[in-house]
Amino acid sequence: METQSRILRIVHYPAPVLRKKAAPIDRVTPEIARFMDEMVETMYADNGVGLAAPQVGISLRIIVVDVGDGPLHLVNPVIIAREGSQTGVEGCLSLPNLHGDVVRAMKVTVRALNIHGKKVTLSGEGLWARAMQHEIDHLDGILFTDHVDPATLHWVTTEEGHDGDYIERPTTLEDALHLFEREASLMKSS
Ligand code: ZN
């Protein structure tokens, strides 16, 4: 029996699976539970705070989130209440190194099934609420670039500026998406 988790391959924009509406799950089988554990391992390996199944090429309504207080595995998650608003920077493992400001609800309540197939209702705010909204969007084919304030969009680099902080390079949405499209077509032809 294999007990070790696998790291899954993350698909990048413009993979068509990222734009599909993902299918709901009838029952949390042991296979689904194992897949969720692999998603968590993959999220940690890439230093993410959340991951949605379409990001590993699986068009099912599953997300995992960990904003620092342990992993949450959620099946068929639905936001049933939103309150307030917050503006903050977001990135996405499917659009590496691209960051920009997105306005989200400050607090959300989410209804879902957990890894044991039990109904759960969870509420949270701040980064937790932001991660939930970002990951649940993925299940409907929505990316943070659909909501981003284009004036704040930038690449994060590993080059240090005078102040020792990493240099950020402003970009337009069009240029950024073109770059990902070009990378994908180069990968295909090589
Ligand atoms: Zn994302």
Side-chain angles (χ1 to χ4, degrees):
M1 199 175 82
E2 199 191 322
T3 52
Q4 218 177 356
S5 282
R6 274 186 319 135
I7 304 293
L8 306 165
R9 211 173 85 103
I10 294 187
V11 300
H12 293 172
Y13 176 88
V17 68
L18 293 173
R19 287 306 199 181
K20 274 177 71 176
K21 200 171 163 71
I25 286 173
D26 295 337
R27 205 165 63 84
V28 183
T29 61
E31 287 72 27
I32 295 285
R34 192 174 329 124
F35 172 62
M36 285 197 273
D37 283 333
E38 291 171 351
M39 283 178 64
V40 169
E41 292 306 315
T42 305
M43 168 177 73
Y44 291 155
D46 284 286
N47 299 313
V49 296
L51 189 68
Q55 291 184 275
V56 292
I58 304 294
S59 195
L60 292 174
R61 304 189 81 79
I62 301 172
I63 63 169
V64 295
V65 167
D66 187 346
V67 294
D69 38 17
L72 280 172
H73 314 68
L74 301 177
V75 167
N76 302 339
V78 178
I79 294 174
I80 57 167
R82 312 168 183 264
E83 224 178 281
S85 89
Q86 56 172 323
T87 303
V89 68
E90 284 187 26
C92 180
L93 296 177
S94 294
L95 294 139
N97 302 321
L98 186 64
H99 285 193
D101 286 359
V102 180
V103 179
R104 301 281 190 185
M106 175 54 94
K107 187 177 171 190
V108 295
T109 302
V110 176
R111 192 174 283 161
L113 298 179
N114 68 12
I115 198 166
H116 309 294
K118 280 210 145 128
K119 280 182 193 163
V120 291
T121 303
L122 307 163
S123 288
E125 54 184 46
L127 179 60
W128 188 95
R130 176 174 296 283
M132 284 294 166
Q133 291 166 88
H134 178 117
E135 299 312 330
I136 292 172
D137 266 357
H138 272 300
L139 305 181
D140 292 318
I142 299 166
L143 302 172
F144 87 94
T145 45
D146 299 333
H147 302 301
V148 76
D149 172 358
T152 65
L153 204 65
H154 61 272
W155 298 104
V156 288
T157 71
T158 51
E159 302 158 54
E160 283 182 26
H162 301 300
D163 52 5
D165 287 346
Y166 289 141
I167 292 173
E168 299 178 350
R169 291 192 194 292
T171 180
T172 64
L173 185 55
E174 199 186 8
D175 283 355
L177 296 183
H178 265 142
L179 196 81
F180 285 117
E181 284 154 15
R182 210 161 60 224
E183 268 173 21
S185 66
L186 285 176
M187 297 253 279
K188 232 177 261 170
S189 60
S190 67

PDB file of all heavy atoms in Angstrom, residues 17-44:
ATOM      1  N   VAL A  17      -8.386  24.045 -18.620  1.00  0.00           N
ATOM      2  CA  VAL A  17      -9.048  23.547 -17.402  1.00  0.00           C
ATOM      3  C   VAL A  17      -9.253  24.672 -16.383  1.00  0.00           C
ATOM      4  O   VAL A  17     -10.200  24.637 -15.581  1.00  0.00           O
ATOM      5  CB  VAL A  17      -8.244  22.370 -16.790  1.00  0.00           C
ATOM      6  CG1 VAL A  17      -6.896  22.831 -16.240  1.00  0.00           C
ATOM      7  CG2 VAL A  17      -9.045  21.642 -15.711  1.00  0.00           C
ATOM      8  N   LEU A  18      -8.410  25.696 -16.432  1.00  0.00           N
ATOM      9  CA  LEU A  18      -8.525  26.819 -15.490  1.00  0.00           C
ATOM     10  C   LEU A  18      -9.738  27.701 -15.778  1.00  0.00           C
ATOM     11  O   LEU A  18     -10.116  28.524 -14.946  1.00  0.00           O
ATOM     12  CB  LEU A  18      -7.253  27.679 -15.531  1.00  0.00           C
ATOM     13  CG  LEU A  18      -5.983  27.019 -15.009  1.00  0.00           C
ATOM     14  CD1 LEU A  18      -4.780  27.917 -15.275  1.00  0.00           C
ATOM     15  CD2 LEU A  18      -6.090  26.718 -13.515  1.00  0.00           C
ATOM     16  N   ARG A  19     -10.311  27.548 -16.975  1.00  0.00           N
ATOM     17  CA  ARG A  19     -11.467  28.374 -17.360  1.00  0.00           C
ATOM     18  C   ARG A  19     -12.778  27.591 -17.351  1.00  0.00           C
ATOM     19  O   ARG A  19     -13.835  28.120 -17.683  1.00  0.00           O
ATOM     20  CB  ARG A  19     -11.223  28.979 -18.756  1.00  0.00           C
ATOM     21  CG  ARG A  19     -10.198  30.097 -18.758  1.00  0.00           C
ATOM     22  CD  ARG A  19     -10.552  31.170 -17.748  1.00  0.00           C
ATOM     23  NE  ARG A  19      -9.885  32.447 -17.984  1.00  0.00           N
ATOM     24  CZ  ARG A  19     -10.040  33.502 -17.203  1.00  0.00           C
ATOM     25  NH1 ARG A  19     -10.811  33.437 -16.119  1.00  0.00           N
ATOM     26  NH2 ARG A  19      -9.420  34.627 -17.456  1.00  0.00           N
ATOM     27  N   LYS A  20     -12.701  26.290 -16.982  1.00  0.00           N
ATOM     28  CA  LYS A  20     -13.918  25.457 -16.956  1.00  0.00           C
ATOM     29  C   LYS A  20     -14.629  25.569 -15.616  1.00  0.00           C
ATOM     30  O   LYS A  20     -14.013  25.799 -14.586  1.00  0.00           O
ATOM     31  CB  LYS A  20     -13.533  23.983 -17.163  1.00  0.00           C
ATOM     32  CG  LYS A  20     -13.417  23.580 -18.617  1.00  0.00           C
ATOM     33  CD  LYS A  20     -12.976  22.132 -18.741  1.00  0.00           C
ATOM     34  CE  LYS A  20     -14.052  21.132 -18.322  1.00  0.00           C
ATOM     35  NZ  LYS A  20     -13.600  19.748 -18.562  1.00  0.00           N
ATOM     36  N   LYS A  21     -15.966  25.338 -15.655  1.00  0.00           N
ATOM     37  CA  LYS A  21     -16.715  25.220 -14.408  1.00  0.00           C
ATOM     38  C   LYS A  21     -16.498  23.790 -13.907  1.00  0.00           C
ATOM     39  O   LYS A  21     -16.782  22.832 -14.635  1.00  0.00           O
ATOM     40  CB  LYS A  21     -18.193  25.484 -14.693  1.00  0.00           C
ATOM     41  CG  LYS A  21     -18.973  25.867 -13.472  1.00  0.00           C
ATOM     42  CD  LYS A  21     -20.383  26.334 -13.861  1.00  0.00           C
ATOM     43  CE  LYS A  21     -21.286  26.305 -12.644  1.00  0.00           C
ATOM     44  NZ  LYS A  21     -20.947  27.366 -11.660  1.00  0.00           N
ATOM     45  N   ALA A  22     -15.967  23.637 -12.698  1.00  0.00           N
ATOM     46  CA  ALA A  22     -15.634  22.313 -12.178  1.00  0.00           C
ATOM     47  C   ALA A  22     -16.894  21.579 -11.708  1.00  0.00           C
ATOM     48  O   ALA A  22     -17.876  22.204 -11.297  1.00  0.00           O
ATOM     49  CB  ALA A  22     -14.633  22.448 -11.030  1.00  0.00           C
ATOM     50  N   ALA A  23     -16.849  20.256 -11.763  1.00  0.00           N
ATOM     51  CA  ALA A  23     -18.010  19.419 -11.419  1.00  0.00           C
ATOM     52  C   ALA A  23     -18.086  19.139  -9.921  1.00  0.00           C
ATOM     53  O   ALA A  23     -17.056  18.944  -9.266  1.00  0.00           O
ATOM     54  CB  ALA A  23     -17.922  18.104 -12.179  1.00  0.00           C
ATOM     55  N   PRO A  24     -19.317  19.111  -9.370  1.00  0.00           N
ATOM     56  CA  PRO A  24     -19.467  18.770  -7.948  1.00  0.00           C
ATOM     57  C   PRO A  24     -19.170  17.289  -7.695  1.00  0.00           C
ATOM     58  O   PRO A  24     -19.179  16.483  -8.612  1.00  0.00           O
ATOM     59  CB  PRO A  24     -20.935  19.086  -7.657  1.00  0.00           C
ATOM     60  CG  PRO A  24     -21.618  19.094  -8.972  1.00  0.00           C
ATOM     61  CD  PRO A  24     -20.594  19.415 -10.017  1.00  0.00           C
ATOM     62  N   ILE A  25     -18.954  16.967  -6.422  1.00  0.00           N
ATOM     63  CA  ILE A  25     -18.609  15.600  -6.018  1.00  0.00           C
ATOM     64  C   ILE A  25     -19.754  15.019  -5.205  1.00  0.00           C
ATOM     65  O   ILE A  25     -20.288  15.684  -4.310  1.00  0.00           O
ATOM     66  CB  ILE A  25     -17.300  15.636  -5.207  1.00  0.00           C
ATOM     67  CG1 ILE A  25     -16.147  15.895  -6.182  1.00  0.00           C
ATOM     68  CG2 ILE A  25     -17.077  14.355  -4.418  1.00  0.00           C
ATOM     69  CD1 ILE A  25     -14.842  16.118  -5.522  1.00  0.00           C
ATOM     70  N   ASP A  26     -20.177  13.794  -5.527  1.00  0.00           N
ATOM     71  CA  ASP A  26     -21.300  13.147  -4.837  1.00  0.00           C
ATOM     72  C   ASP A  26     -20.896  12.665  -3.451  1.00  0.00           C
ATOM     73  O   ASP A  26     -21.643  12.792  -2.495  1.00  0.00           O
ATOM     74  CB  ASP A  26     -21.771  11.910  -5.620  1.00  0.00           C
ATOM     75  CG  ASP A  26     -22.350  12.288  -6.968  1.00  0.00           C
ATOM     76  OD1 ASP A  26     -22.783  13.458  -7.103  1.00  0.00           O
ATOM     77  OD2 ASP A  26     -22.352  11.441  -7.868  1.00  0.00           O
ATOM     78  N   ARG A  27     -19.709  12.068  -3.364  1.00  0.00           N
ATOM     79  CA  ARG A  27     -19.323  11.397  -2.144  1.00  0.00           C
ATOM     80  C   ARG A  27     -17.808  11.523  -1.983  1.00  0.00           C
ATOM     81  O   ARG A  27     -17.073  11.408  -2.964  1.00  0.00           O
ATOM     82  CB  ARG A  27     -19.680   9.905  -2.254  1.00  0.00           C
ATOM     83  CG  ARG A  27     -19.902   9.200  -0.937  1.00  0.00           C
ATOM     84  CD  ARG A  27     -20.599   7.858  -1.168  1.00  0.00           C
ATOM     85  NE  ARG A  27     -19.793   6.952  -1.959  1.00  0.00           N
ATOM     86  CZ  ARG A  27     -18.831   6.170  -1.481  1.00  0.00           C
ATOM     87  NH1 ARG A  27     -18.544   6.186  -0.186  1.00  0.00           N
ATOM     88  NH2 ARG A  27     -18.136   5.374  -2.258  1.00  0.00           N
ATOM     89  N   VAL A  28     -17.363  11.755  -0.748  1.00  0.00           N
ATOM     90  CA  VAL A  28     -15.926  11.856  -0.503  1.00  0.00           C
ATOM     91  C   VAL A  28     -15.377  10.446  -0.296  1.00  0.00           C
ATOM     92  O   VAL A  28     -15.441   9.884   0.794  1.00  0.00           O
ATOM     93  CB  VAL A  28     -15.625  12.762   0.715  1.00  0.00           C
ATOM     94  CG1 VAL A  28     -14.121  12.902   0.901  1.00  0.00           C
ATOM     95  CG2 VAL A  28     -16.258  14.138   0.528  1.00  0.00           C
ATOM     96  N   THR A  29     -14.881   9.863  -1.367  1.00  0.00           N
ATOM     97  CA  THR A  29     -14.331   8.500  -1.331  1.00  0.00           C
ATOM     98  C   THR A  29     -12.901   8.550  -0.795  1.00  0.00           C
ATOM     99  O   THR A  29     -12.298   9.626  -0.726  1.00  0.00           O
ATOM    100  CB  THR A  29     -14.290   7.923  -2.757  1.00  0.00           C
ATOM    101  OG1 THR A  29     -13.429   8.770  -3.546  1.00  0.00           O
ATOM    102  CG2 THR A  29     -15.672   7.877  -3.395  1.00  0.00           C
ATOM    103  N   PRO A  30     -12.327   7.388  -0.437  1.00  0.00           N
ATOM    104  CA  PRO A  30     -10.918   7.373  -0.016  1.00  0.00           C
ATOM    105  C   PRO A  30      -9.987   7.938  -1.093  1.00  0.00           C
ATOM    106  O   PRO A  30      -8.984   8.581  -0.764  1.00  0.00           O
ATOM    107  CB  PRO A  30     -10.630   5.881   0.213  1.00  0.00           C
ATOM    108  CG  PRO A  30     -11.970   5.295   0.538  1.00  0.00           C
ATOM    109  CD  PRO A  30     -12.963   6.066  -0.292  1.00  0.00           C
ATOM    110  N   GLU A  31     -10.341   7.735  -2.363  1.00  0.00           N
ATOM    111  CA  GLU A  31      -9.516   8.274  -3.462  1.00  0.00           C
ATOM    112  C   GLU A  31      -9.526   9.810  -3.439  1.00  0.00           C
ATOM    113  O   GLU A  31      -8.495  10.448  -3.615  1.00  0.00           O
ATOM    114  CB  GLU A  31     -10.033   7.790  -4.827  1.00  0.00           C
ATOM    115  CG  GLU A  31      -9.756   6.334  -5.142  1.00  0.00           C
ATOM    116  CD  GLU A  31     -10.607   5.362  -4.313  1.00  0.00           C
ATOM    117  OE1 GLU A  31     -11.722   5.748  -3.888  1.00  0.00           O
ATOM    118  OE2 GLU A  31     -10.142   4.235  -4.068  1.00  0.00           O
ATOM    119  N   ILE A  32     -10.731  10.366  -3.206  1.00  0.00           N
ATOM    120  CA  ILE A  32     -10.845  11.835  -3.138  1.00  0.00           C
ATOM    121  C   ILE A  32     -10.057  12.357  -1.931  1.00  0.00           C
ATOM    122  O   ILE A  32      -9.351  13.359  -2.018  1.00  0.00           O
ATOM    123  CB  ILE A  32     -12.335  12.262  -3.032  1.00  0.00           C
ATOM    124  CG1 ILE A  32     -13.098  11.885  -4.315  1.00  0.00           C
ATOM    125  CG2 ILE A  32     -12.480  13.745  -2.722  1.00  0.00           C
ATOM    126  CD1 ILE A  32     -12.818  12.768  -5.511  1.00  0.00           C
ATOM    127  N   ALA A  33     -10.174  11.655  -0.795  1.00  0.00           N
ATOM    128  CA  ALA A  33      -9.459  12.081   0.418  1.00  0.00           C
ATOM    129  C   ALA A  33      -7.948  12.050   0.179  1.00  0.00           C
ATOM    130  O   ALA A  33      -7.227  12.970   0.577  1.00  0.00           O
ATOM    131  CB  ALA A  33      -9.833  11.186   1.592  1.00  0.00           C
ATOM    132  N   ARG A  34      -7.471  11.012  -0.498  1.00  0.00           N
ATOM    133  CA  ARG A  34      -6.037  10.912  -0.785  1.00  0.00           C
ATOM    134  C   ARG A  34      -5.610  12.035  -1.724  1.00  0.00           C
ATOM    135  O   ARG A  34      -4.564  12.652  -1.542  1.00  0.00           O
ATOM    136  CB  ARG A  34      -5.702   9.542  -1.400  1.00  0.00           C
ATOM    137  CG  ARG A  34      -4.205   9.282  -1.449  1.00  0.00           C
ATOM    138  CD  ARG A  34      -3.853   7.870  -1.917  1.00  0.00           C
ATOM    139  NE  ARG A  34      -4.849   6.884  -1.547  1.00  0.00           N
ATOM    140  CZ  ARG A  34      -5.457   6.084  -2.421  1.00  0.00           C
ATOM    141  NH1 ARG A  34      -5.181   6.166  -3.700  1.00  0.00           N
ATOM    142  NH2 ARG A  34      -6.335   5.201  -2.001  1.00  0.00           N
ATOM    143  N   PHE A  35      -6.457  12.311  -2.722  1.00  0.00           N
ATOM    144  CA  PHE A  35      -6.165  13.397  -3.663  1.00  0.00           C
ATOM    145  C   PHE A  35      -6.056  14.738  -2.911  1.00  0.00           C
ATOM    146  O   PHE A  35      -5.167  15.557  -3.181  1.00  0.00           O
ATOM    147  CB  PHE A  35      -7.256  13.450  -4.733  1.00  0.00           C
ATOM    148  CG  PHE A  35      -7.169  14.632  -5.650  1.00  0.00           C
ATOM    149  CD1 PHE A  35      -6.058  14.821  -6.469  1.00  0.00           C
ATOM    150  CD2 PHE A  35      -8.196  15.565  -5.703  1.00  0.00           C
ATOM    151  CE1 PHE A  35      -5.970  15.919  -7.326  1.00  0.00           C
ATOM    152  CE2 PHE A  35      -8.117  16.661  -6.547  1.00  0.00           C
ATOM    153  CZ  PHE A  35      -7.009  16.836  -7.356  1.00  0.00           C
ATOM    154  N   MET A  36      -6.935  14.947  -1.927  1.00  0.00           N
ATOM    155  CA  MET A  36      -6.889  16.200  -1.159  1.00  0.00           C
ATOM    156  C   MET A  36      -5.591  16.316  -0.365  1.00  0.00           C
ATOM    157  O   MET A  36      -5.021  17.407  -0.256  1.00  0.00           O
ATOM    158  CB  MET A  36      -8.112  16.314  -0.248  1.00  0.00           C
ATOM    159  CG  MET A  36      -9.371  16.675  -1.017  1.00  0.00           C
ATOM    160  SD  MET A  36     -10.691  17.292   0.052  1.00  0.00           S
ATOM    161  CE  MET A  36     -11.433  15.755   0.496  1.00  0.00           C
ATOM    162  N   ASP A  37      -5.117  15.184   0.173  1.00  0.00           N
ATOM    163  CA  ASP A  37      -3.826  15.210   0.877  1.00  0.00           C
ATOM    164  C   ASP A  37      -2.697  15.571  -0.077  1.00  0.00           C
ATOM    165  O   ASP A  37      -1.777  16.319   0.278  1.00  0.00           O
ATOM    166  CB  ASP A  37      -3.546  13.853   1.539  1.00  0.00           C
ATOM    167  CG  ASP A  37      -4.352  13.674   2.815  1.00  0.00           C
ATOM    168  OD1 ASP A  37      -4.700  14.697   3.447  1.00  0.00           O
ATOM    169  OD2 ASP A  37      -4.649  12.517   3.177  1.00  0.00           O
ATOM    170  N   GLU A  38      -2.773  15.062  -1.296  1.00  0.00           N
ATOM    171  CA  GLU A  38      -1.745  15.386  -2.298  1.00  0.00           C
ATOM    172  C   GLU A  38      -1.813  16.865  -2.674  1.00  0.00           C
ATOM    173  O   GLU A  38      -0.780  17.505  -2.895  1.00  0.00           O
ATOM    174  CB  GLU A  38      -1.920  14.508  -3.542  1.00  0.00           C
ATOM    175  CG  GLU A  38      -1.574  13.056  -3.264  1.00  0.00           C
ATOM    176  CD  GLU A  38      -1.937  12.117  -4.403  1.00  0.00           C
ATOM    177  OE1 GLU A  38      -2.615  12.550  -5.364  1.00  0.00           O
ATOM    178  OE2 GLU A  38      -1.541  10.949  -4.321  1.00  0.00           O
ATOM    179  N   MET A  39      -3.044  17.394  -2.724  1.00  0.00           N
ATOM    180  CA  MET A  39      -3.181  18.830  -2.998  1.00  0.00           C
ATOM    181  C   MET A  39      -2.523  19.662  -1.907  1.00  0.00           C
ATOM    182  O   MET A  39      -1.864  20.670  -2.183  1.00  0.00           O
ATOM    183  CB  MET A  39      -4.662  19.216  -3.132  1.00  0.00           C
ATOM    184  CG  MET A  39      -5.295  18.816  -4.461  1.00  0.00           C
ATOM    185  SD  MET A  39      -7.062  19.240  -4.525  1.00  0.00           S
ATOM    186  CE  MET A  39      -7.013  21.029  -4.434  1.00  0.00           C
ATOM    187  N   VAL A  40      -2.709  19.247  -0.639  1.00  0.00           N
ATOM    188  CA  VAL A  40      -2.095  19.977   0.485  1.00  0.00           C
ATOM    189  C   VAL A  40      -0.571  19.939   0.372  1.00  0.00           C
ATOM    190  O   VAL A  40       0.104  20.970   0.507  1.00  0.00           O
ATOM    191  CB  VAL A  40      -2.561  19.401   1.842  1.00  0.00           C
ATOM    192  CG1 VAL A  40      -1.730  19.974   2.989  1.00  0.00           C
ATOM    193  CG2 VAL A  40      -4.038  19.712   2.069  1.00  0.00           C
ATOM    194  N   GLU A  41      -0.014  18.752   0.089  1.00  0.00           N
ATOM    195  CA  GLU A  41       1.443  18.625  -0.058  1.00  0.00           C
ATOM    196  C   GLU A  41       1.953  19.525  -1.178  1.00  0.00           C
ATOM    197  O   GLU A  41       2.998  20.158  -1.064  1.00  0.00           O
ATOM    198  CB  GLU A  41       1.834  17.167  -0.352  1.00  0.00           C
ATOM    199  CG  GLU A  41       1.601  16.207   0.810  1.00  0.00           C
ATOM    200  CD  GLU A  41       2.277  16.680   2.090  1.00  0.00           C
ATOM    201  OE1 GLU A  41       3.457  17.092   2.019  1.00  0.00           O
ATOM    202  OE2 GLU A  41       1.626  16.667   3.144  1.00  0.00           O
ATOM    203  N   THR A  42       1.187  19.569  -2.270  1.00  0.00           N
ATOM    204  CA  THR A  42       1.568  20.382  -3.430  1.00  0.00           C
ATOM    205  C   THR A  42       1.531  21.868  -3.081  1.00  0.00           C
ATOM    206  O   THR A  42       2.441  22.626  -3.419  1.00  0.00           O
ATOM    207  CB  THR A  42       0.622  20.073  -4.614  1.00  0.00           C
ATOM    208  OG1 THR A  42       0.651  18.668  -4.859  1.00  0.00           O
ATOM    209  CG2 THR A  42       1.029  20.828  -5.868  1.00  0.00           C
ATOM    210  N   MET A  43       0.480  22.270  -2.347  1.00  0.00           N
ATOM    211  CA  MET A  43       0.352  23.668  -1.910  1.00  0.00           C
ATOM    212  C   MET A  43       1.548  24.055  -1.030  1.00  0.00           C
ATOM    213  O   MET A  43       2.148  25.115  -1.224  1.00  0.00           O
ATOM    214  CB  MET A  43      -0.960  23.827  -1.130  1.00  0.00           C
ATOM    215  CG  MET A  43      -1.114  25.134  -0.370  1.00  0.00           C
ATOM    216  SD  MET A  43      -2.720  25.241   0.443  1.00  0.00           S
ATOM    217  CE  MET A  43      -2.532  24.081   1.811  1.00  0.00           C
ATOM    218  N   TYR A  44       1.925  23.185  -0.080  1.00  0.00           N
ATOM    219  CA  TYR A  44       3.067  23.483   0.798  1.00  0.00           C
ATOM    220  C   TYR A  44       4.369  23.547  -0.003  1.00  0.00           C
ATOM    221  O   TYR A  44       5.204  24.423   0.242  1.00  0.00           O
ATOM    222  CB  TYR A  44       3.196  22.428   1.903  1.00  0.00           C
ATOM    223  CG  TYR A  44       2.100  22.451   2.946  1.00  0.00           C
ATOM    224  CD1 TYR A  44       1.793  21.306   3.673  1.00  0.00           C
ATOM    225  CD2 TYR A  44       1.395  23.621   3.218  1.00  0.00           C
ATOM    226  CE1 TYR A  44       0.800  21.306   4.638  1.00  0.00           C
ATOM    227  CE2 TYR A  44       0.400  23.639   4.186  1.00  0.00           C
ATOM    228  CZ  TYR A  44       0.104  22.471   4.894  1.00  0.00           C
ATOM    229  OH  TYR A  44      -0.873  22.481   5.845  1.00  0.00           O
TER     230      TYR A  44
END
